[in-house]
């Protein structure tokens, strides 16, 4: 059961999602040039070169990321128990389900079930594809009730559906966040901040989408790839994130930033090295 409504901004189906601000064309392990700042503008400090950012895609760091998100989304560090999670949290996005809150009203649940059906055509959720296409962009349950939640939970016992959830999470949210973070020259904590923002806000053209949050932050501080200071930029990004969250009643509690990500930043723990202690909605969590 989720502690709080945290649905994403309604957007088009996430087929081949591209970040609103283009990803810099540098390899993940390359040193980013200050002139390639993702805005089309040259850095004011061309003599400074950002060091390559370490990766949230390291398996141990990725596990921490999954636990951090689960603490906010499900009040639990056991993110692997959330494949079967499904409910309508009354945030205008229909059903919210799975490990990162795929929703029937924003397109990513539809993409997930389509992926699962491509791999396993006779799955228990395939019959809901017409209804999922119909309700996309709304909070309607038409064509889904009364059996969709039970069938979702049944499908969640299937390792192929669990893998499909993992793959869609990575394709739409995790991988783009890590790639953009590395291009911006930010480390593990910053990449996680990007990932958490993408999970909550999606990446539409809306003013509270991830791309808009990043753009708002870059108006206040340079990224390390532009020659800026990492902590200064991340503070600007978290400020922009809090602003975006407060635009929606469902996001009025900003503790997943204020008493989690901001705490790690203030500690200077840019690599998200354990032990980690944080709070979300007043509940304390710890990772050794």
């Amino acid at each position: 059961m989720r502690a709080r409504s945290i649905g994403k901004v309604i957007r088009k189906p996430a087929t081949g999602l591209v970040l609103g601000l283009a990803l810099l064309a540098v390899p993940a392990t390359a040193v980013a040039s200050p002139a390639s700042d993702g805005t089309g503008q040259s850095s004011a400090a061309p003599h400074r070169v950002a060091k390559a950012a370490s990766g949230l895609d390291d398996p141990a760091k990725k596990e921490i990321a999954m636990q951090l998100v689960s603490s906010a989304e499900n009040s639990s560090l056991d993110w692997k128990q959330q494949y079967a999670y499904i409910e309508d949290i009354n945030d205008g996005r229909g059903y919210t389900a799975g490990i990162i809150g795929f929703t029937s009203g924003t397109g990513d649940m539809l993409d997930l079930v389509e992926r699962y059906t491509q791999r396993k055509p006779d799955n228990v959720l395939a019959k809901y594809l017409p209804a999922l296409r119909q309700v996309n962009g709304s909070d309607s349950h038409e064509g889904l009730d009364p059996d969709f939640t039970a069938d979702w939970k049944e499908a969640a016992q299937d390792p192929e559906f669990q893998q499909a959830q993992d793959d869609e999470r990575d394709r739409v949210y995790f991988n783009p966040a890590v790639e953009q973070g590395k291009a911006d020259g930010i480390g593990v904590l910053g990449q996680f901040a990007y990932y958490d923002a993408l999970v909550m806000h999606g990446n539409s053209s809306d003013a509270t989408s991830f791309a808009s949050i990043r753009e708002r932050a870059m108006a206040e501080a340079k990224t390390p790839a532009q020659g800026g200071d990492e902590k200064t930029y991340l503070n600007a990004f978290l400020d922009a994130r809090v602003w975006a969250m407060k635009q929606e009643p469902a996001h009025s509690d900003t503790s997943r930033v204020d008493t989690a990500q901001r705490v790690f930043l203030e500690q200077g723990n840019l690599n998200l090295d354990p032990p980690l202690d944080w709070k979300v909605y007043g509940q304390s969590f710890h990772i050794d």
Side-chain angles (χ1 to χ4, degrees):
M1 181 70 67
R2 298 187 177 223
R4 185 92 34 163
S5 297
I6 49 170
K8 295 177 284 297
V9 173
I10 293 186
R11 64 187 188 280
K12 295 180 181 179
T15 52
L17 176 144
V18 178
L19 297 182
L21 296 177
L23 295 175
L24 298 178
V26 295
T29 58
V31 174
S33 167
S36 299
D37 60 15
T39 67
Q41 298 179 353
S42 298
S43 168
H47 63 285
R48 296 183 63 184
V49 178
K51 65 181 180 180
S54 56
L56 190 66
D57 48 355
D58 174 87
K61 299 300 183 184
K62 187 173 184 179
E63 177 66 21
I64 288 173
M66 298 305 108
Q67 291 178 304
L68 287 169
V69 169
S70 187
S71 72
E73 301 251 341
N74 298 96
S75 300
S76 170
L77 298 184
D78 192 356
W79 66 271
K80 292 182 180 179
Q81 290 298 312
Q82 310 310 322
Y83 291 109
Y85 164 78
I86 182 167
E87 67 176 318
D88 189 327
I89 56 177
N90 299 312
D91 64 350
R93 294 160 179 82
Y95 281 117
T96 297
I99 55 173
I100 50 90
F102 301 99
T103 60
S104 59
T106 63
D108 56 358
M109 181 181 286
L110 170 61
D111 289 346
L112 168 61
V113 177
E114 286 179 336
R115 176 186 285 268
Y116 181 39
T117 302
Q118 288 171 358
R119 296 176 177 179
K120 189 172 184 177
D122 60 347
N123 75 79
V124 70
L125 298 179
K127 61 181 176 287
Y128 295 106
L129 281 171
L132 287 170
R133 295 184 183 107
Q134 186 65 33
V135 302
N136 187 24
S138 75
D139 62 357
S140 174
H141 294 183
E142 185 174 356
L144 299 176
D145 290 341
D147 298 323
F148 183 64
T149 56
D151 287 340
W152 180 281
K153 292 174 183 178
E154 179 181 339
Q157 305 308 310
D158 181 1
E160 290 189 59
F161 187 49
Q162 295 175 12
Q163 186 63 54
Q165 289 196 38
D166 290 348
D167 292 345
E168 279 298 283
R169 172 203 63 204
D170 290 350
R171 181 183 73 86
V172 181
Y173 303 109
F174 187 82
N175 293 344
V178 172
E179 186 175 358
Q180 185 68 76
K182 288 182 177 180
D184 285 345
I186 56 178
V188 174
L189 175 60
Q191 291 164 34
F192 173 74
Y194 278 14
Y195 171 58
D196 192 61
L198 269 168
V199 166
M200 176 179 280
H201 300 281
N203 201 57
S204 69
S205 59
D206 190 276
T208 59
S209 70
F210 167 76
S212 296
I213 293 170
R214 176 174 173 267
E215 186 175 34
R216 190 179 184 93
M218 292 173 69
E220 298 297 325
K222 294 177 182 178
T223 68
Q226 294 173 303
D229 176 75
E230 183 172 6
K231 289 186 70 174
T232 300
Y233 171 70
L234 289 181
N235 265 313
F237 182 83
L238 294 183
D239 288 344
R241 170 78 189 282
V242 167
W243 175 86
M245 291 173 71
K246 288 183 176 179
Q247 304 312 300
E248 278 195 281
H251 300 159
S252 59
D253 187 316
T254 59
S255 59
R256 67 194 287 159
V257 172
D258 300 332
T259 55
Q261 295 171 48
R262 188 87 71 181
V263 170
F264 305 143
L265 182 59
E266 290 174 351
Q267 293 170 345
N269 192 354
L270 301 179
N271 200 43
L272 277 181
D273 290 324
L276 298 171
D277 291 280
W278 73 99
K279 293 182 179 180
V280 183
Y281 311 133
Q283 183 176 355
S284 297
F285 295 94
H286 174 81
I287 294 176
D288 290 315

